[in-house]
DNA sequence: CTGGATGCAAACGCTTTGCAAATAG
DNA sequence: CTATTTGCAAAGCGTTTGCATCCAG
């Protein structure tokens, strides 16, 4: 077993690059469009495969919203960060809870081990609060 | 405009009843199965329509996980509760964060208003930790 | 009666998968 | 050369929708 090599391909690189160019969560389809727009020929399925792989290997954060999956490079390998999502414009801001401790306590109180957790806060950002006047 | 009446039907009642009988989040399909099992003939589409309506009218909480939508009667108009979800057996336990305050602070620090938030904690429950021995 | 509600099945949108062709090592 | 990766298109999944029928008021 010669350690089934993970081959380095133009597409893998492209996906990784494109992810870095994003500063918000993107869907697979978004990323696929971005890639093709920038002249990189790549199949949608490949984008999905890459995104899944990267998520599994812990390099991508993933949130689900509105029935679709959004990915983002996991900048914080060491610290969970969560998000403040504007329900109107979709803007996302990373937030850090001051206290992860209670979570562990509560979990173990129920005999649970914690492998991951997600916290998504929905609301309106400043701009959209202003725009809320027109319904 | 004679206030387009919302008719009271056997199915509407059934869905509402069934929701009350659940003590965990359920998917539309789950609920549909439960209903048909209990002898109530109802279409899947109707369950979906009812669930959406109830969610819109603010009577149902909704979380998304694994690409599907789970609903639960919104018992806590007054207090958010979150969940401890076992990744193996799917068991769900309600947990209550000791401190919702920081959330509001962080949000307003970014100019956000908070309309809702979800916190889901994934891990393994005691039973499943024991069963983890077989891979 | 009348129009909202239902049931069915087809349509949908996002994601995954089968398989043959392409290509990295 | 060989096996991983890709691309395409078809399949899969949960959900929504069109339309004829049904039934509450």
């Amino acid at each position: 077993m010669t350690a089934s090599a993970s081959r380095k391909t133009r597409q893998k690189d492209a996906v990784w690059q494109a992810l870095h160019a994003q500063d918000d969560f993107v869907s697979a389809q978004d990323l696929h469009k971005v890639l093709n727009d920038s002249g990189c020929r790549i199949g949608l399925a490949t984008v999905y495969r890459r995104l899944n792989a990267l998520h599994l290997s812990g390099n991508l954060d993933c949130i689900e919203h509105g029935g679709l999956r959004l990915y983002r490079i996991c900048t914080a390998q060491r610290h969970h960060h969560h998000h403040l999502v504007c329900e109107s414009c979709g803007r996302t801001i990373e937030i850090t809870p001051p206290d992860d401790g209670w979570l562990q306590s509560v979990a173990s109180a129920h005999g649970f081990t914690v492998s991951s957790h997600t916290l998504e806060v929905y609301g309106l950002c400043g701009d959209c609060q202003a725009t809320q006047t027109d319904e």
Side-chain angles (χ1 to χ4, degrees), chain A:
Chain A
M1 48 164 94
T2 4
S4 52
S6 176
R7 295 180 182 171
K8 188 181 184 62
T9 64
R10 178 178 57 77
Q11 290 89 334
K12 280 188 184 176
D13 256 15
V15 168
W16 189 241
Q17 296 283 328
L19 278 167
H20 275 283
Q22 304 300 314
D23 34 43
D24 250 342
F25 280 88
V26 284
S27 67
Q29 319 228 6
D30 286 343
L31 203 64
H32 178 240
K33 174 144 44 181
V34 167
L35 282 162
N36 278 329
D37 280 357
S38 60
C40 172
R41 207 168 142 35
I42 184 174
L44 180 55
T46 304
V47 176
Y48 274 105
R49 280 189 276 239
R50 221 83 296 286
L51 252 25
N52 282 337
L54 288 169
H55 181 230
L56 275 178
S57 57
N59 291 298
L60 284 187
D61 263 346
C62 167
I63 64 176
E64 298 179 28
H65 190 223
L68 57 103
R69 230 159 285 182
L70 289 330
Y71 297 90
R72 189 192 202 289
I73 286 189
C74 186
T75 42
Q77 230 90 23
R78 50 209 151 62
H79 204 90
H80 266 291
H81 53 266
H82 306 293
H83 300 89
L84 202 48
V85 183
C86 177
E87 296 187 304
S88 181
C89 68
R91 188 193 308 184
T92 309
I93 292 180
E94 293 193 2
I95 54 178
T96 308
D99 172 29
D100 283 44
W102 71 267
L103 210 164
Q104 302 290 337
S105 326
V106 174
S108 42
H110 290 282
F112 272 63
T113 54
V114 176
S115 67
S116 71
H117 62 277
T118 64
L119 170 60
E120 302 302 321
V121 185
Y122 300 101
L124 291 175
C125 68
D127 292 349
C128 291
Q129 285 169 53
T131 324
Q132 274 302 297
T133 32
D134 55 2
E135 170 71 7

mmCIF file of all heavy atoms in Angstrom, chain A residues 56-90:
data_model
loop_
_atom_site.group_PDB
_atom_site.id
_atom_site.type_symbol
_atom_site.label_atom_id
_atom_site.label_comp_id
_atom_site.label_asym_id
_atom_site.label_seq_id
_atom_site.Cartn_x
_atom_site.Cartn_y
_atom_site.Cartn_z
ATOM 1 N N LEU A 56 -14.278 17.895 5.151
ATOM 2 C CA LEU A 56 -13.957 16.700 5.927
ATOM 3 C C LEU A 56 -12.578 16.793 6.551
ATOM 4 O O LEU A 56 -12.378 16.394 7.697
ATOM 5 C CB LEU A 56 -14.020 15.456 5.043
ATOM 6 C CG LEU A 56 -15.414 14.856 4.883
ATOM 7 C CD1 LEU A 56 -15.364 13.653 3.954
ATOM 8 C CD2 LEU A 56 -15.948 14.441 6.249
ATOM 9 N N SER A 57 -11.652 17.322 5.804
ATOM 10 C CA SER A 57 -10.295 17.417 6.334
ATOM 11 C C SER A 57 -10.154 18.596 7.297
ATOM 12 O O SER A 57 -9.076 18.897 7.765
ATOM 13 C CB SER A 57 -9.296 17.542 5.187
ATOM 14 O OG SER A 57 -9.608 18.651 4.377
ATOM 15 N N GLY A 58 -11.286 19.239 7.557
ATOM 16 C CA GLY A 58 -11.279 20.299 8.558
ATOM 17 C C GLY A 58 -10.743 21.634 8.101
ATOM 18 O O GLY A 58 -10.426 22.493 8.916
ATOM 19 N N ASN A 59 -10.656 21.818 6.800
ATOM 20 C CA ASN A 59 -10.134 23.088 6.313
ATOM 21 C C ASN A 59 -11.219 24.097 5.970
ATOM 22 O O ASN A 59 -10.938 25.252 5.676
ATOM 23 C CB ASN A 59 -9.271 22.857 5.074
ATOM 24 C CG ASN A 59 -8.001 22.140 5.423
ATOM 25 O OD1 ASN A 59 -7.196 22.642 6.184
ATOM 26 N ND2 ASN A 59 -7.839 20.938 4.909
ATOM 27 N N LEU A 60 -12.463 23.633 5.989
ATOM 28 C CA LEU A 60 -13.557 24.523 5.656
ATOM 29 C C LEU A 60 -14.651 24.489 6.705
ATOM 30 O O LEU A 60 -15.011 23.432 7.200
ATOM 31 C CB LEU A 60 -14.198 24.114 4.315
ATOM 32 C CG LEU A 60 -13.481 24.446 3.025
ATOM 33 C CD1 LEU A 60 -14.374 24.108 1.858
ATOM 34 C CD2 LEU A 60 -13.097 25.907 3.012
ATOM 35 N N ASP A 61 -15.147 25.655 7.011
ATOM 36 C CA ASP A 61 -16.316 25.754 7.862
ATOM 37 C C ASP A 61 -17.520 25.654 6.957
ATOM 38 O O ASP A 61 -17.466 26.042 5.796
ATOM 39 C CB ASP A 61 -16.352 27.133 8.535
ATOM 40 C CG ASP A 61 -15.769 27.072 9.917
ATOM 41 O OD1 ASP A 61 -15.598 25.961 10.438
ATOM 42 O OD2 ASP A 61 -15.487 28.144 10.473
ATOM 43 N N CYS A 62 -18.591 25.139 7.483
ATOM 44 C CA CYS A 62 -19.797 24.994 6.685
ATOM 45 C C CYS A 62 -21.018 25.365 7.498
ATOM 46 O O CYS A 62 -21.154 24.947 8.639
ATOM 47 C CB CYS A 62 -19.904 23.553 6.200
ATOM 48 S SG CYS A 62 -21.508 23.118 5.522
ATOM 49 N N ILE A 63 -21.872 26.180 6.915
ATOM 50 C CA ILE A 63 -23.134 26.460 7.583
ATOM 51 C C ILE A 63 -24.247 26.180 6.586
ATOM 52 O O ILE A 63 -24.037 26.221 5.374
ATOM 53 C CB ILE A 63 -23.245 27.926 8.074
ATOM 54 C CG1 ILE A 63 -23.236 28.903 6.906
ATOM 55 C CG2 ILE A 63 -22.172 28.256 9.057
ATOM 56 C CD1 ILE A 63 -23.442 30.338 7.325
ATOM 57 N N GLU A 64 -25.404 25.862 7.097
ATOM 58 C CA GLU A 64 -26.543 25.610 6.216
ATOM 59 C C GLU A 64 -27.552 26.709 6.442
ATOM 60 O O GLU A 64 -27.876 27.049 7.569
ATOM 61 C CB GLU A 64 -27.195 24.273 6.550
ATOM 62 C CG GLU A 64 -26.268 23.108 6.354
ATOM 63 C CD GLU A 64 -26.956 21.794 6.713
ATOM 64 O OE1 GLU A 64 -28.186 21.717 6.585
ATOM 65 O OE2 GLU A 64 -26.248 20.867 7.134
ATOM 66 N N HIS A 65 -28.041 27.251 5.351
ATOM 67 C CA HIS A 65 -29.049 28.289 5.486
ATOM 68 C C HIS A 65 -29.911 28.331 4.250
ATOM 69 O O HIS A 65 -29.402 28.417 3.141
ATOM 70 C CB HIS A 65 -28.395 29.662 5.729
ATOM 71 C CG HIS A 65 -29.355 30.716 6.117
ATOM 72 N ND1 HIS A 65 -29.325 31.987 5.613
ATOM 73 C CD2 HIS A 65 -30.424 30.673 6.954
ATOM 74 C CE1 HIS A 65 -30.313 32.682 6.128
ATOM 75 N NE2 HIS A 65 -30.989 31.923 6.935
ATOM 76 N N GLY A 66 -31.200 28.238 4.456
ATOM 77 C CA GLY A 66 -32.122 28.295 3.331
ATOM 78 C C GLY A 66 -32.004 27.089 2.419
ATOM 79 O O GLY A 66 -32.238 27.182 1.225
ATOM 80 N N GLY A 67 -31.659 25.960 3.028
ATOM 81 C CA GLY A 67 -31.601 24.740 2.244
ATOM 82 C C GLY A 67 -30.343 24.560 1.433
ATOM 83 O O GLY A 67 -30.215 23.620 0.674
ATOM 84 N N LEU A 68 -29.378 25.478 1.608
ATOM 85 C CA LEU A 68 -28.132 25.229 0.908
ATOM 86 C C LEU A 68 -26.934 25.383 1.810
ATOM 87 O O LEU A 68 -27.017 25.928 2.902
ATOM 88 C CB LEU A 68 -28.020 26.055 -0.371
ATOM 89 C CG LEU A 68 -28.127 27.561 -0.371
ATOM 90 C CD1 LEU A 68 -26.744 28.140 -0.506
ATOM 91 C CD2 LEU A 68 -28.966 28.009 -1.552
ATOM 92 N N ARG A 69 -25.829 24.848 1.336
ATOM 93 C CA ARG A 69 -24.646 24.762 2.164
ATOM 94 C C ARG A 69 -23.635 25.816 1.762
ATOM 95 O O ARG A 69 -23.277 25.927 0.600
ATOM 96 C CB ARG A 69 -24.038 23.366 1.988
ATOM 97 C CG ARG A 69 -23.740 22.677 3.277
ATOM 98 C CD ARG A 69 -23.637 21.181 3.061
ATOM 99 N NE ARG A 69 -24.939 20.541 2.866
ATOM 100 C CZ ARG A 69 -25.103 19.246 2.691
ATOM 101 N NH1 ARG A 69 -24.071 18.450 2.673
ATOM 102 N NH2 ARG A 69 -26.307 18.755 2.556
ATOM 103 N N LEU A 70 -23.190 26.605 2.734
ATOM 104 C CA LEU A 70 -22.211 27.648 2.467
ATOM 105 C C LEU A 70 -20.891 27.276 3.121
ATOM 106 O O LEU A 70 -20.876 26.817 4.251
ATOM 107 C CB LEU A 70 -22.686 28.978 3.041
ATOM 108 C CG LEU A 70 -23.854 29.752 2.427
ATOM 109 C CD1 LEU A 70 -23.964 29.504 0.935
ATOM 110 C CD2 LEU A 70 -25.165 29.391 3.094
ATOM 111 N N TYR A 71 -19.816 27.504 2.378
ATOM 112 C CA TYR A 71 -18.493 27.172 2.890
ATOM 113 C C TYR A 71 -17.597 28.396 2.999
ATOM 114 O O TYR A 71 -17.785 29.388 2.304
ATOM 115 C CB TYR A 71 -17.808 26.168 1.974
ATOM 116 C CG TYR A 71 -18.512 24.856 1.876
ATOM 117 C CD1 TYR A 71 -19.480 24.639 0.896
ATOM 118 C CD2 TYR A 71 -18.216 23.835 2.762
ATOM 119 C CE1 TYR A 71 -20.130 23.418 0.800
ATOM 120 C CE2 TYR A 71 -18.858 22.619 2.672
ATOM 121 C CZ TYR A 71 -19.818 22.411 1.693
ATOM 122 O OH TYR A 71 -20.458 21.208 1.599
ATOM 123 N N ARG A 72 -16.628 28.241 3.877
ATOM 124 C CA ARG A 72 -15.676 29.322 4.064
ATOM 125 C C ARG A 72 -14.406 28.723 4.633
ATOM 126 O O ARG A 72 -14.464 27.764 5.406
ATOM 127 C CB ARG A 72 -16.246 30.327 5.065
ATOM 128 C CG ARG A 72 -15.446 31.601 5.182
ATOM 129 C CD ARG A 72 -15.939 32.358 6.410
ATOM 130 N NE ARG A 72 -15.631 33.771 6.348
ATOM 131 C CZ ARG A 72 -14.413 34.287 6.464
ATOM 132 N NH1 ARG A 72 -13.383 33.500 6.635
ATOM 133 N NH2 ARG A 72 -14.259 35.593 6.413
ATOM 134 N N ILE A 73 -13.301 29.293 4.246
ATOM 135 C CA ILE A 73 -12.042 28.789 4.772
ATOM 136 C C ILE A 73 -12.023 28.928 6.282
ATOM 137 O O ILE A 73 -12.420 29.951 6.826
ATOM 138 C CB ILE A 73 -10.851 29.541 4.152
ATOM 139 C CG1 ILE A 73 -10.680 29.076 2.714
ATOM 140 C CG2 ILE A 73 -9.598 29.319 4.955
ATOM 141 C CD1 ILE A 73 -9.426 29.578 2.067
ATOM 142 N N CYS A 74 -11.599 27.878 6.906
ATOM 143 C CA CYS A 74 -11.575 27.862 8.362
ATOM 144 C C CYS A 74 -10.302 28.531 8.829
ATOM 145 O O CYS A 74 -9.236 27.917 8.883
ATOM 146 C CB CYS A 74 -11.616 26.408 8.838
ATOM 147 S SG CYS A 74 -11.775 26.227 10.590
ATOM 148 N N THR A 75 -10.446 29.793 9.179
ATOM 149 C CA THR A 75 -9.271 30.551 9.580
ATOM 150 C C THR A 75 -8.827 30.202 10.986
ATOM 151 O O THR A 75 -7.680 30.398 11.353
ATOM 152 C CB THR A 75 -9.563 32.061 9.541
ATOM 153 O OG1 THR A 75 -10.853 32.279 10.084
ATOM 154 C CG2 THR A 75 -9.482 32.567 8.127
ATOM 155 N N ALA A 76 -9.764 29.680 11.742
ATOM 156 C CA ALA A 76 -9.456 29.417 13.141
ATOM 157 C C ALA A 76 -9.471 27.933 13.447
ATOM 158 O O ALA A 76 -10.481 27.376 13.824
ATOM 159 C CB ALA A 76 -10.449 30.138 14.039
ATOM 160 N N GLN A 77 -8.335 27.307 13.243
ATOM 161 C CA GLN A 77 -8.234 25.874 13.511
ATOM 162 C C GLN A 77 -8.354 25.636 15.019
ATOM 163 O O GLN A 77 -8.794 24.606 15.457
ATOM 164 C CB GLN A 77 -6.873 25.361 13.034
ATOM 165 C CG GLN A 77 -6.979 24.124 12.146
ATOM 166 C CD GLN A 77 -7.094 24.510 10.699
ATOM 167 O OE1 GLN A 77 -6.694 25.587 10.306
ATOM 168 N NE2 GLN A 77 -7.643 23.641 9.875
ATOM 169 N N ARG A 78 -7.943 26.606 15.745
ATOM 170 C CA ARG A 78 -7.818 26.437 17.186
ATOM 171 C C ARG A 78 -9.013 26.936 17.971
ATOM 172 O O ARG A 78 -9.268 26.542 19.079
ATOM 173 C CB ARG A 78 -6.583 27.183 17.669
ATOM 174 C CG ARG A 78 -6.580 28.595 17.130
ATOM 175 C CD ARG A 78 -5.216 29.187 16.937
ATOM 176 N NE ARG A 78 -5.249 30.162 15.865
ATOM 177 C CZ ARG A 78 -5.984 31.273 15.904
ATOM 178 N NH1 ARG A 78 -6.727 31.568 16.947
ATOM 179 N NH2 ARG A 78 -5.984 32.103 14.886
ATOM 180 N N HIS A 79 -9.774 27.824 17.325
ATOM 181 C CA HIS A 79 -10.861 28.434 18.078
ATOM 182 C C HIS A 79 -12.135 28.484 17.251
ATOM 183 O O HIS A 79 -12.113 28.943 16.121
ATOM 184 C CB HIS A 79 -10.461 29.853 18.480
ATOM 185 C CG HIS A 79 -11.201 30.329 19.674
ATOM 186 N ND1 HIS A 79 -10.752 30.147 20.952
ATOM 187 C CD2 HIS A 79 -12.389 30.954 19.784
ATOM 188 C CE1 HIS A 79 -11.613 30.654 21.794
ATOM 189 N NE2 HIS A 79 -12.617 31.147 21.121
ATOM 190 N N HIS A 80 -13.192 28.003 17.815
ATOM 191 C CA HIS A 80 -14.458 28.080 17.107
ATOM 192 C C HIS A 80 -14.890 29.525 16.954
ATOM 193 O O HIS A 80 -14.809 30.305 17.897
ATOM 194 C CB HIS A 80 -15.556 27.373 17.908
ATOM 195 C CG HIS A 80 -15.720 25.968 17.493
ATOM 196 N ND1 HIS A 80 -16.222 25.602 16.275
ATOM 197 C CD2 HIS A 80 -15.464 24.816 18.139
ATOM 198 C CE1 HIS A 80 -16.258 24.293 16.199
ATOM 199 N NE2 HIS A 80 -15.799 23.790 17.314
ATOM 200 N N HIS A 81 -15.327 29.852 15.767
ATOM 201 C CA HIS A 81 -15.911 31.166 15.644
ATOM 202 C C HIS A 81 -17.298 30.970 15.065
ATOM 203 O O HIS A 81 -17.563 30.004 14.363
ATOM 204 C CB HIS A 81 -15.059 32.078 14.757
ATOM 205 C CG HIS A 81 -14.752 31.493 13.433
ATOM 206 N ND1 HIS A 81 -13.591 30.802 13.198
ATOM 207 C CD2 HIS A 81 -15.446 31.481 12.280
ATOM 208 C CE1 HIS A 81 -13.595 30.401 11.942
ATOM 209 N NE2 HIS A 81 -14.712 30.780 11.352
ATOM 210 N N HIS A 82 -18.157 31.868 15.351
ATOM 211 C CA HIS A 82 -19.532 31.736 14.924
ATOM 212 C C HIS A 82 -19.915 32.948 14.102
ATOM 213 O O HIS A 82 -19.068 33.788 13.842
ATOM 214 C CB HIS A 82 -20.415 31.556 16.152
ATOM 215 C CG HIS A 82 -19.942 30.423 16.995
ATOM 216 N ND1 HIS A 82 -20.001 29.124 16.577
ATOM 217 C CD2 HIS A 82 -19.342 30.405 18.202
ATOM 218 C CE1 HIS A 82 -19.472 28.352 17.499
ATOM 219 N NE2 HIS A 82 -19.051 29.101 18.504
ATOM 220 N N HIS A 83 -21.151 33.000 13.732
ATOM 221 C CA HIS A 83 -21.498 34.072 12.814
ATOM 222 C C HIS A 83 -22.748 34.863 13.117
ATOM 223 O O HIS A 83 -23.714 34.349 13.669
ATOM 224 C CB HIS A 83 -21.564 33.513 11.397
ATOM 225 C CG HIS A 83 -20.280 32.921 10.966
ATOM 226 N ND1 HIS A 83 -19.971 31.606 11.194
ATOM 227 C CD2 HIS A 83 -19.198 33.477 10.381
ATOM 228 C CE1 HIS A 83 -18.752 31.373 10.761
ATOM 229 N NE2 HIS A 83 -18.257 32.488 10.262
ATOM 230 N N LEU A 84 -22.646 36.087 12.686
ATOM 231 C CA LEU A 84 -23.734 37.026 12.781
ATOM 232 C C LEU A 84 -24.153 37.188 11.321
ATOM 233 O O LEU A 84 -23.370 37.653 10.501
ATOM 234 C CB LEU A 84 -23.147 38.330 13.328
ATOM 235 C CG LEU A 84 -24.003 39.365 14.012
ATOM 236 C CD1 LEU A 84 -24.903 38.740 15.061
ATOM 237 C CD2 LEU A 84 -23.074 40.382 14.687
ATOM 238 N N VAL A 85 -25.335 36.719 11.005
ATOM 239 C CA VAL A 85 -25.760 36.752 9.610
ATOM 240 C C VAL A 85 -26.908 37.723 9.398
ATOM 241 O O VAL A 85 -27.927 37.649 10.092
ATOM 242 C CB VAL A 85 -26.235 35.350 9.150
ATOM 243 C CG1 VAL A 85 -26.604 35.362 7.681
ATOM 244 C CG2 VAL A 85 -25.162 34.310 9.424
ATOM 245 N N CYS A 86 -26.728 38.641 8.468
ATOM 246 C CA CYS A 86 -27.815 39.574 8.186
ATOM 247 C C CYS A 86 -28.833 38.874 7.301
ATOM 248 O O CYS A 86 -28.507 38.366 6.233
ATOM 249 C CB CYS A 86 -27.303 40.820 7.474
ATOM 250 S SG CYS A 86 -28.666 41.928 7.050
ATOM 251 N N GLU A 87 -30.059 38.845 7.769
ATOM 252 C CA GLU A 87 -31.111 38.130 7.043
ATOM 253 C C GLU A 87 -31.507 38.844 5.765
ATOM 254 O O GLU A 87 -32.173 38.282 4.912
ATOM 255 C CB GLU A 87 -32.342 37.968 7.933
ATOM 256 C CG GLU A 87 -32.067 37.105 9.135
ATOM 257 C CD GLU A 87 -33.334 36.810 9.917
ATOM 258 O OE1 GLU A 87 -34.015 37.777 10.325
ATOM 259 O OE2 GLU A 87 -33.639 35.625 10.107
ATOM 260 N N SER A 88 -31.142 40.090 5.664
ATOM 261 C CA SER A 88 -31.526 40.842 4.480
ATOM 262 C C SER A 88 -30.461 40.825 3.392
ATOM 263 O O SER A 88 -30.713 40.404 2.275
ATOM 264 C CB SER A 88 -31.860 42.273 4.881
ATOM 265 O OG SER A 88 -32.259 43.022 3.761
ATOM 266 N N CYS A 89 -29.263 41.243 3.730
ATOM 267 C CA CYS A 89 -28.232 41.328 2.695
ATOM 268 C C CYS A 89 -27.272 40.153 2.716
ATOM 269 O O CYS A 89 -26.447 40.002 1.816
ATOM 270 C CB CYS A 89 -27.456 42.633 2.826
ATOM 271 S SG CYS A 89 -26.439 42.748 4.300
ATOM 272 N N GLY A 90 -27.374 39.314 3.739
ATOM 273 C CA GLY A 90 -26.523 38.128 3.768
ATOM 274 C C GLY A 90 -25.120 38.360 4.303
ATOM 275 O O GLY A 90 -24.305 37.451 4.352
#
